[in-house]
Amino acid sequence: MPDNNSELQDFQVFISTVLIRNKSILDQTTKLQDACTHLCRNISKASTTCGCITINASKQPYFINDEVSLGELRTLLSSHVNGKLCPSCEELISKEMGRVLFYLGAIANTFNIPLDKVLEDEKYRTSLLGEYSLR
Ligand SMILES: [Zn+2]
């Protein structure tokens, strides 16, 4: 790795030094799924158990025509989240995001894929289409 390590490179090195029990790719993939599940669960519980946010979902207006530009569509679409996470829910959700990144990094290490490159490649692919990537 180059001398000018990025945060992601440092994180991948850190993961390689602390990951012992979940060295198997099967453990890493299932741990990633588990972290994703807990992340989604904690988001739901912020609404259903804590109540610091409400989620009011409705059909999104996915259409582009002569009257509505892509830029205007961005303002019409909603996250469906109202309110703000309380410190406790934010901490729980941040923790699970960290676990997602940890096991993603572990998988990247197993296959010798630098997360820096993953990030750059994804940004490049998405930038080619710009707002037409419709993500
Ligand atoms: Zn909360």
Side-chain angles (χ1 to χ4, degrees):
M1 291 195 182
D3 288 341
N4 56 344
N5 281 0
S6 70
E7 284 283 326
L8 284 173
Q9 287 172 333
D10 289 346
F11 189 50
Q12 283 191 261
V13 170
F14 170 75
I15 291 168
S16 69
T17 62
V18 298
L19 190 78
I20 296 171
R21 275 188 58 196
N22 297 302
K23 191 79 175 171
S24 164
I25 188 65
L26 293 177
D27 290 327
Q28 293 169 1
T29 53
T30 53
K31 282 289 196 179
L32 177 62
Q33 286 177 315
D34 181 66
C36 289
T37 300
H38 279 91
L39 173 62
C40 294
R41 181 73 181 140
N42 285 337
I43 292 169
S44 294
K45 289 183 81 162
S47 174
T48 60
T49 302
C50 177
C52 58
I53 61 170
T54 58
I55 299 171
N56 185 12
S58 59
K59 182 178 178 180
Q60 299 273 30
Y62 292 118
F63 58 86
I64 302 170
N65 57 32
D66 292 342
E67 294 168 17
V68 179
S69 70
L70 208 50
E72 289 169 321
L73 184 60
R74 181 177 291 124
T75 65
L76 296 173
L77 299 174
S78 170
S79 69
H80 296 145
V81 174
N82 298 310
K84 187 176 181 300
L85 292 173
C86 71
S88 175
C89 290
E90 186 176 316
E91 184 181 335
L92 288 171
I93 289 169
S94 293
K95 179 183 152 205
E96 292 307 328
M97 287 177 170
R99 286 186 66 226
V100 168
L101 290 175
F102 182 91
Y103 289 110
L104 183 65
I107 292 168
N109 282 349
T110 296
F111 295 116
N112 292 317
I113 298 172
L115 285 178
D116 280 349
K117 185 178 182 325
V118 172
L119 191 67
E120 283 303 313
D121 289 350
E122 183 61 21
K123 281 165 59 179
Y124 176 73
R125 278 191 302 268
T126 305
S127 71
L128 287 178
L129 292 172
E131 58 188 10
Y132 295 99
S133 67
L134 294 178
R135 287 204 172 167

